[in-house]
Amino acid sequence: MNHKMLVILVVLTFFLQPVLINAESGALKEIKLPAPKEIRMPLEKALMRRNSVRVFSEENISLKDLSTILWAAYGYTSKGRTIYCFDCAVKIYVLMKDGVYVYNPERHALVLYKEGDYRDVSQYKAPVQIGIVWNRTKGEENLSCAEIGAIGQNVYLAANALDLGTVTTVGFTLKSIGLPKDEVPKIIMPLGHLKHPYKFIYLPFLISNFPRVKFSNVSLTEVLNELEKCKEFGGNLTEQEKAQIIWSTYGYSYYVDFTKDEFRYHLYRHRTVPSAHAYYPLRIYAITKEGIYRFIPNIYDPIYKIPIAFIPIPIPVFSFIVKVKSGDHREVVSEAIDVNVSSSPLIIISVLDLDRTRPKGHDDFSGKEFRWLWYYEAGASAHNALLEAVTSNLSANIYPIKSKETILNLLELSEDKFDPLLVTAIGTSQRR
Ligand SMILES: Cc1cc2nc3c(=O)[nH]c(=O)nc-3n(C[C@H](O)[C@H](O)[C@H](O)COP(=O)(O)O)c2cc1C
């Protein structure tokens, strides 16, 4: 072999090496993620610490932490998945310094999509950006966004419990990575270490007519591992269990957040889910054998111009569950979703209050083209109920509403002002 040939051989070997390695996995380049960490934080604590972080330090995220967050977001468990999947029409891109990767949940791996640093597509600078897209050929837009809401929720909970931070942001700019034609960019979640460490103070200053939320001894990892679709809808719930589940859908945190933040819209008391523009436009109804109840997370409410969440002093949260109709209406709900939930001990319905998506002097997000934002929020809220149900050995399912008219009539609400989004039925599982 002459000198020239030897050089060609060395060069070829160098360039072919990654291809040869990757030929084994059938992918261009794949990073196998390590097993996820166990997140020991009790679910309720994680829910109470959920908040949006927009300023990050330069520090990188370890592969172990990234693995944990991605698994929590959309991973597989021995019982199914870490979220309730409607059509599983969602894909997660992970934008890092060296390139854009796709999260492959089946292999729990990152598959290289494109080389290059595209992280500046995000509103906020962070070492990792999680981009979530909806595939329009695989599922309906609003339900897919409800699924993204559940994914986002798990990203928030896992990141915060690992002392990392994130925020849900509208992600149209993700299209500049060059997406396949059927994929529609929806959400970008920056992920990083905090520039200012978390500082939460437990101030459960609450005036309410239902039991106070207790920390269960069930960790976030256990809950995610145990999530499964409901097989039966019987059983009874204690008042405590009902209160925990209802609170998880839209309640206020018992923590006051004194974390330093450069943003004028930093909240001091967060809620269990995020909300676009912090409008929090959902009404949460709870339906039991005895009647229909409305959950009022706080009587101080941005819509009444008293923005309690911005006040850094422990003003009490006045939270109530109010009966709005007597009688057993679970048959009617069953009709509306076309599934028999008439023996479910607790049914939750999220209804969009359109007036709250168009507050005077603020952006109007009441149009149909923005409905996906509110499905994200309803999906996150319903997902919390699923997670909280697990702590009581219950399980639950989320259902789209087939006849919105039936629900509007049942709740005596008008179509021009309200839009019912999702139904969650909670019941006994085989574990109980
Ligand atoms: C669907 C959705 C879209 C959002 N879009 C943005 C955004 O583009 N930029 C941003 O800074 N925050 C965004 N947020 C975060 C909200 O502003 C935040 O949840 C709200 O202010 C409440 O604050 P907290 O999450 O810290 O409790 C969005 C939240 C949701 C649910």
Side-chain angles (χ1 to χ4, degrees):
M1 193 184 296
N2 67 27
H3 180 73
K4 214 169 159 187
M5 272 186 71
L6 190 69
V7 171
I8 291 170
L9 198 69
V10 169
V11 170
L12 271 179
T13 315
F14 180 78
F15 281 110
L16 278 177
Q17 199 187 11
V19 179
L20 290 175
I21 291 169
N22 296 320
E24 224 180 304
S25 64
L28 191 64
K29 180 181 163 191
E30 185 172 288
I31 303 173
K32 189 92 191 95
L33 292 165
K37 265 184 193 169
E38 190 186 339
I39 307 174
R40 296 221 172 96
M41 187 177 285
L43 172 68
E44 297 75 15
K45 187 171 178 183
L47 287 171
M48 286 188 190
R49 284 169 54 106
R50 188 219 60 80
N51 77 111
S52 298
V53 174
R54 297 178 177 87
V55 190
F56 305 92
S57 75
E58 303 269 289
E59 190 183 341
N60 244 320
I61 293 177
S62 71
L63 207 55
K64 190 84 175 166
D65 281 350
L66 186 60
S67 152
T68 310
I69 290 164
L70 291 171
W71 169 78
Y74 209 37
Y76 279 96
T77 68
S78 59
K79 297 198 163 159
R81 281 192 104 140
T82 55
I83 64 148
Y84 183 99
C85 229
F86 285 105
D87 298 302
C88 298
V90 171
K91 194 157 137 193
I92 299 181
Y93 287 88
V94 181
L95 282 59
M96 299 198 282
K97 194 172 177 193
D98 66 321
V100 177
Y101 294 81
V102 171
Y103 174 54
N104 180 325
E106 287 85 6
R107 300 174 60 80
H108 193 52
L110 289 176
V111 181
L112 182 68
Y113 178 68
K114 194 174 249 184
E115 276 172 355
D117 189 352
Y118 287 85
R119 293 173 300 171
D120 63 0
V121 296
S122 174
Q123 293 170 30
Y124 306 108
K125 204 168 171 243
V128 173
Q129 304 285 345
I130 294 182
I132 314 179
V133 303
W134 156 57
N135 185 320
R136 66 173 112 224
T137 63
K138 291 193 177 164
E140 188 274 328
E141 179 175 21
N142 288 332
L143 292 182
S144 301
C145 288
E147 191 177 317
I148 296 177
I151 293 172
Q153 197 64 7
N154 283 352
V155 173
Y156 265 113
L157 301 180
N160 181 299
L162 294 169
D163 261 334
L164 300 167
T166 191
V167 54
T168 293
T169 68
V170 171
F172 300 128
T173 49
L174 192 67
K175 68 175 181 299
S176 60
I177 66 171
L179 290 169
K181 76 171 186 351
D182 292 326
E183 292 182 9
V184 183
K186 286 293 177 191
I187 294 291
I188 296 176
M189 299 184 79
L191 194 62
H193 289 267
L194 272 68
K195 187 172 159 206
H196 309 292
Y198 285 125
K199 194 172 163 199
F200 291 107
I201 297 180
Y202 188 67
L203 288 169
F205 201 8
L206 179 81
I207 295 168
S208 106
N209 66 347
F210 62 94
R212 193 172 282 265
V213 173
K214 289 185 183 153
F215 287 175
S216 66
N217 55 7
V218 190
S219 75
L220 186 56
T221 295
E222 279 173 273
V223 167
L224 294 173
N225 266 319
E226 290 293 317
L227 202 68
E228 63 180 338
K229 291 189 179 177
C230 199
K231 297 186 183 76
E232 308 162 46
F233 285 107
N236 286 310
L237 268 68
T238 64
E239 289 306 301
Q240 182 71 40
E241 287 168 344
K242 280 184 213 158
Q244 304 257 135
I245 293 171
I246 294 169
W247 166 83
S248 75
T249 61
Y250 224 41
Y252 276 79
S253 175
Y254 290 8
Y255 286 110
V256 178
D257 178 6
F258 289 103
T259 312
K260 242 183 115 195
D261 196 302
E262 279 91 340
F263 285 86
R264 71 180 161 79
Y265 45 93
H266 177 75
L267 302 184
Y268 288 96
R269 238 188 235 281
H270 299 277
R271 293 171 74 162
T272 53
V273 293
S275 180
H277 272 30
Y279 280 177
Y280 289 104
L282 301 184
R283 279 192 182 192
I284 303 292
Y285 289 92
I287 297 181
T288 69
K289 197 177 170 185
E290 287 75 34
I292 302 178
Y293 301 80
R294 189 172 154 201
F295 175 39
I296 314 278
N298 198 348
I299 58 167
Y300 293 138
D301 182 301
I303 205 88
Y304 303 122
K305 307 277 181 282
I306 312 171
I308 188 180
F310 288 92
I311 304 171
I313 48 169
I315 288 180
V317 173
F318 290 90
S319 190
F320 297 101
I321 293 173
V322 184
K323 196 172 200 174
V324 292
K325 209 173 197 175
S326 292
D328 188 351
H329 301 278
R330 294 174 298 173
E331 290 272 359
V332 182
V333 181
S334 305
E335 254 170 58
I337 59 174
D338 206 11
V339 175
N340 186 3
V341 292
S342 57
S343 49
S344 173
L346 180 64
I347 299 168
I348 309 265
I349 306 181
S350 53
V351 178
L352 182 64
D353 179 341
L354 287 163
D355 280 345
R356 300 186 57 139
T357 62
R358 48 188 174 214
K360 240 187 178 158
H362 296 274
D363 294 335
D364 182 343
F365 289 144
S366 62
K368 284 270 183 226
E369 69 279 23
F370 299 113
R371 202 54 46 93
W372 69 272
L373 291 171
W374 313 119
Y375 267 94
Y376 176 107
E377 194 169 322
S381 162
H383 177 67
N384 282 356
L386 259 59
L387 298 180
E388 192 54 48
V390 172
T391 66
S392 301
N393 257 337
L394 297 157
S395 56
N397 283 357
I398 309 174
Y399 298 101
I401 300 170
K402 300 245 165 83
S403 168
K404 295 203 176 199
E405 200 191 338
T406 306
I407 297 289
L408 288 167
N409 288 340
L410 175 67
L411 301 174
E412 296 169 24
L413 300 173
S414 66
E415 193 190 353
D416 56 330
K417 284 189 179 282
F418 294 94
D419 183 12
L421 302 186
L422 295 173
V423 167
T424 308
I426 296 117
T428 49
S429 72
Q430 287 174 343
R431 279 173 279 144
R432 182 150 127 160

